[in-house]
Amino acid sequence: MNDTGFVLVIGATGNQGGATARELLARGRPVHALVRDPDKPAAAELKEQGAILVRGDLDDPASLRTAMTGASGVFSVQALAFEPETLAAEVRQGKAVADAVAETGVPHLVYSSVGGAERATGIDHFETKAEIERHIRALGLPATVLRPAFFMNNLLHYAEAGDERILELPVDPERPMQFVASDDIGHFAADAFENPAHHTGRRIELAGDELTFPQVAEIYERVTGTPTRLVTVPIEERMFEWFAEEGYEADIPALRAEHPGLLTFEEFLARRLAPAAS
């Protein structure tokens, strides 16, 4: 077991960092949350939950080193990027976090990457994470890499519907997709900090369910009572080509053996939407 020192959570106001911070706090671990603006509502909510807010900036290496001093672990995730400028910023910031971990001697880094990062997908925002992973390895850091599949949270985009819900997506309707809830990413991150001897060096692709998108529509309809159907549009982006050609490869039964509470999409959606639908 690791000591009970604090974990610095980067991205704590987002889905993955927020889930990690909440899970660590629920387990009694001290959490320091790196924030640029401690007065923002999301930061204030973290403080109310018990996190200590630490002002810092991913483009300010000195602030990262200061925030990490004395930490027993660091959770690193960067903002989703698509444009050349933001993709370059993601790589720069992910490497800066890893460099600061090396410089301050933090004993465990948990980096959230993406499923398939190791497979040369040709997807820009997958390749950026692969580059950060390579940098972590080159530094020889004691690290755990989490590689999440498609976020269930992304499908909440379709939660609001009138008489009919239409999922308009550039997908192969017969090709299953693997999905993961951000709360489960937080669970695996907290497990890694709780038992670093077991998790250091692991690279874990994460998913909790595997469904075709017509099945996603069926579940949406069952949970909300609103007629729901998939409408496919042409596949033009590289990411959706990869989803149709290869896709994620998480070993869901093995993951469920480690975490029996791993959410299916129906369980996730019921938690998020059933109260509002009733």
Side-chain angles (χ1 to χ4, degrees), residues 9 23 37 52 77 107 143 157 162 211 241 275:
V9 177
E23 183 66 24
D37 183 357
I52 294 174
V77 65
H157 170 76
L211 302 162
E241 288 178 350

Side-chain angles (χ1 to χ4, degrees), residues 58-59 85 87-97 99 132:
L58 294 181
D59 284 318
E85 183 176 333
L87 288 164
E90 178 187 3
V91 172
R92 182 179 68 250
Q93 293 171 356
K95 289 181 175 180
V97 172
D99 289 342
I132 294 167

Side-chain angles (χ1 to χ4, degrees), residues 45-70:
E45 185 176 347
L46 280 170
K47 186 176 180 180
E48 289 177 5
Q49 292 169 352
I52 294 174
L53 304 183
V54 180
R55 191 187 294 270
D57 192 313
L58 294 181
D59 284 318
D60 179 2
S63 74
L64 293 177
R65 290 191 295 270
T66 298
M68 291 181 193
T69 300

Side-chain angles (χ1 to χ4, degrees), residues 165-180:
R165 176 181 294 103
I166 297 175
L167 311 181
E168 188 173 290
L169 289 161
V171 296
D172 178 347
E174 297 182 359
R175 178 83 183 189
M177 174 77 82
Q178 290 189 339
F179 301 92
V180 67

Side-chain angles (χ1 to χ4, degrees), residues 80 90 111-114 117 125-133:
L80 185 62
E90 178 187 3
Y111 170 58
S112 185
S113 178
V114 66
H125 65 284
F126 285 35
E127 297 300 333
T128 51
K129 294 169 180 61
E131 184 172 350
I132 294 167
E133 285 194 31

Side-chain angles (χ1 to χ4, degrees), residues 210-233:
E210 184 172 75
L211 302 162
T212 65
F213 277 93
Q215 289 174 318
V216 169
E218 291 171 10
I219 291 168
Y220 240 123
E221 182 166 336
R222 186 158 59 243
V223 170
T224 66
T226 300
T228 303
R229 60 188 173 94
L230 170 70
V231 173
T232 60
V233 297

Side-chain angles (χ1 to χ4, degrees), residues 139-155:
L139 290 172
L141 296 178
T144 303
V145 175
L146 303 180
R147 293 174 175 157
F150 193 99
F151 282 20
M152 294 178 186
N153 306 62
N154 292 341
L155 295 172

